[in-house]
């Protein structure tokens, strides 16, 4: 496993860290589709001030959190 | 586990509490994307009075509830 | 478990009751986001007469039904 | 189990019948949200001639098919 | 199982064939909602030239691929 | 299994490679729906500069990543 990997593992110590990883996963896909940071910065106020965009963004986090939570066996252990 | 964590566990005593946690998870992503509470307050009447926004919001809760319900083994135990 | 809970359990006797519970779950999130019943009543004809809104609403029910069906082990027992 | 139930079971003999059940589940939620058959008939050409509506409808079927397929253990037995 | 079934099984020999089946499942729902092939042909350039429609279509395939992949135990065997 | 298959397996060595495969799966469906590379190139700046399109694209990746992560048992082994 490369040390520079942005995603070395899906394991996290706590649910909160798992949630943060879900956000990271959601943003990564955006960054890979639009690699230009300046464009992303310009788009940020667009969706951060639009109710439906915020809900859609929350949905992507929710889907990724399903994956991370399952990977951590829901932090039950 | 930090005492101040907003998400110390996915375990809840009842399905209803699990549903409330699903709502909390949905709102958290919105809060992290738009941290300015004043903006969020301004947006609230926008989506709370729009049928499609309400349905979309319900969808995010549903996805998070899947995660919470699975984490609690559907409160079968 | 409080007797007044709107969601005491995810268990239902039949798939049809499970489907009705999925609808209840979908509506609950709408009600919690827009607690004013008068507003919800005003919005009802908006989405009930819009094809895409109806499809979106059906999607939320479908996601919740996944949860309820899994909780009931698909009523296989 | 009532004989008149529209959903007595999630079990089907074949994947194709399971797919048809998924469609039935998708339509049921629409019918429960908009019980007036005349309105639904009026809306049908609207979404049946709109590409995005058709894709959205296919998505709801896909979600329900996940449930039905799991309930039938993917017809592997 | 009828020989003429368009969906005799969810089993496929390879992941690629499973992906193709996921596409078939996505299209089938469209075809059942809009049975008129001429209308579908007219709609094709509409969504095939619209970025959001293409992304939505890819989402439906992704959901169906989840089902097919699970049915095949992810082709691990 | 054909050597030329674009999807010989869902197995990857690391979560990061699994994420890349999820992106590949998302793009493949777009490519199969719109096979003309020139059209896809023309559409790229449309969605890459639209906040909601980027979020939708991230959602498709998230759904595919669920599949790939499950196929790899979340890289726990």
């Amino acid at each position: 496993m490369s040390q520079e990997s942005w995603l070395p593992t899906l394991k996290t110590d706590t649910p909160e860290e798992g949630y943060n990883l879900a956000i990271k996963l959601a943003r990564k896909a955006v960054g890979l589709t639009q690699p230009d940071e300046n464009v992303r910065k310009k788009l940020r106020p667009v969706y951060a001030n639009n109710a439906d965009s915020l809900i859609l963004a929350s949905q992507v986090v929710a889907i990724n959190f399903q994956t991370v939570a399952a990977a951590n066996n829901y932090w039950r252990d």
Side-chain angles (χ1 to χ4, degrees), chain A residues 7-73:
Chain A
L7 185 63
T9 177
L10 295 182
K11 276 288 204 185
T12 68
D13 284 337
T14 64
E16 186 175 345
E17 287 173 37
Y19 193 85
N20 291 336
L21 179 54
I23 291 173
K24 189 180 178 179
L25 287 163
R27 290 192 178 153
K28 192 69 183 182
V30 172
L32 290 168
T33 311
Q34 178 45 272
D36 187 332
E37 210 192 318
N38 289 321
V39 176
R40 293 204 308 273
K41 268 189 191 158
K42 232 175 47 190
L43 292 176
R44 184 169 282 266
V46 177
Y47 68 78
N49 290 288
N50 181 284
D52 285 352
S53 301
L54 287 168
I55 298 171
L56 269 182
S58 179
Q59 188 168 341
V60 184
V61 174
I63 296 169
N64 281 313
F65 188 58
Q66 287 191 328
T67 310
V68 175
N72 285 278
N73 199 22

